[in-house]
Amino acid sequence: MTLRTEIKDGVALVTLDRPERHNAVDLATADELAATWRAFRFDDAVRAAVVTGAGGRAFCTGIDRSADVPQPSSPYSLDDPMLSIGPKANDLWKPVIAAVDGMACGGAFYLLGEAEFIVASENSTFFDPHTTYGMVSAYESIYMAQRMPLGEIARLSLMGTAERLGAARAYEIGLVSELTAPGAAAEVALRRAAAIAAQPPEAVQGTVRALWAAKEAARSQALAHAPHLIALGSLPPDRQAELFAARKKHGTNGSRGGDGRDGRPPVR
């Protein structure tokens, strides 16, 4: 299993448990996440949840580059296993808090984008390497544009591996709700989740649904464009592979590509 789930006093702790891959999501993990959120819909013992990553070095670094995801030849179709990893994608309207310790980049934004709020340790960083490796950042940018000022996500997504958003700045712009000491994000998030779980669940879930309704129309319309933008704007896979190989060869400090000099795994 690549996912650990613990339930106590109405709160579920969901932990991405691939620390040796900086909690990059392979296909098995994507399936486990989707199944977990769907199961919570029917489990009255779960009234709130926290999602985090094991190991302390990364929350999540997106999809594992070793995952083989065949794509249809049509530019109007896209198979993206990351689309199903979030709670809202699985019709879960119980509140979910993201607890970030370390790196959160690329495809991690699918999870962060569907959390109610984010608690992060002071040593956390956020970045999006897509453009550096010839890929369009579509879903990731759209999700994060719902959570932070447009200029900030534009800077983050357009500059690729050249830009890092530190935890302090993420807190200043409202992406992060609360800062903690290194290693304490999950502990603090669990306390906040316990306070939420103590409220009447019907009222809590209705409030969650109302909050998401505020931005749902604009988000849905934007996401509808994402597959075509990715198909039309991303480099062919062999050219992307060349850019990844160049990163390893020249020691570029990026994040996608699991065997670079810093040992970081891939992100979507």
Side-chain angles (χ1 to χ4, degrees), residues 1-3 11 41 83 97 120 125 129 131 172 176 181 183 199 210 237 240 254 258:
M1 300 290 285
T2 59
L3 201 68
V11 176
R41 295 166 61 214
L83 285 174
I97 303 170
T125 57
T131 56
E172 289 174 358
V176 169
Q199 314 309 317
Q240 291 181 28

Side-chain angles (χ1 to χ4, degrees), residues 6-41:
E6 307 163 55
I7 301 173
K8 181 179 179 182
D9 298 330
V11 176
L13 176 61
V14 178
T15 305
L16 296 167
D17 195 14
R18 305 186 75 219
E20 74 286 352
R21 297 293 291 168
H22 289 73
N23 301 314
V25 176
D26 61 4
L27 298 185
T29 307
D31 288 343
E32 287 181 53
L33 279 166
T36 295
W37 302 131
R38 289 195 300 270
F40 286 170
R41 295 166 61 214

